[in-house]
Amino acid sequence: TNMEMQTFEPEMLIYPNPTNGLVYFNTNVTQYREISLFNSNGELVLVSNEEHIDLSSFPKGLYFVKYRSNNFVKTFKLIKE
């Protein structure tokens, strides 16, 4: 018997992007979550498990958000204005 494996791709919304402060993560994943924020040099600058992060004290520029849940990892670009 040949079983076909189905992958789960959760719906994900990060807003507002670009931002000048709070960034919200809206997803249908309700399990464990970890958000890692990296600056444009690849340095880890923030780790959170909240549904939002506050970038108001961070310098303007390009950031990368790595969103991780139990079986899902996705990276997004985020611009701080």
Side-chain angles (χ1 to χ4, degrees):
T1 322
N2 189 4
M3 293 181 95
E4 186 176 321
M5 214 170 172
Q6 294 187 2
T7 58
F8 172 67
E9 182 77 19
E11 295 179 15
M12 185 81 193
L13 180 63
I14 294 181
Y15 62 94
N17 188 11
T19 185
N20 59 11
L22 287 176
V23 178
Y24 296 91
F25 301 90
N26 190 348
T27 178
N28 60 352
V29 175
T30 58
Q31 309 158 349
Y32 163 83
R33 122 180 77 241
E34 181 183 87
I35 298 161
S36 303
L37 182 70
F38 299 87
N39 64 19
S40 58
N41 296 325
E43 299 166 324
L44 181 64
V45 294
L46 177 73
V47 175
S48 174
N49 61 2
E50 301 295 323
E51 293 180 357
H52 67 277
I53 56 176
D54 186 359
L55 298 185
S56 58
S57 64
F58 287 81
K60 295 179 181 180
L62 176 65
Y63 292 86
F64 296 93
V65 175
K66 183 158 92 173
Y67 187 97
R68 181 188 336 229
S69 69
N70 286 351
N71 297 318
F72 173 73
V73 177
K74 187 148 182 138
T75 302
F76 301 88
K77 289 182 183 176
L78 180 62
I79 296 172
K80 165 75 184 331
E81 294 183 330

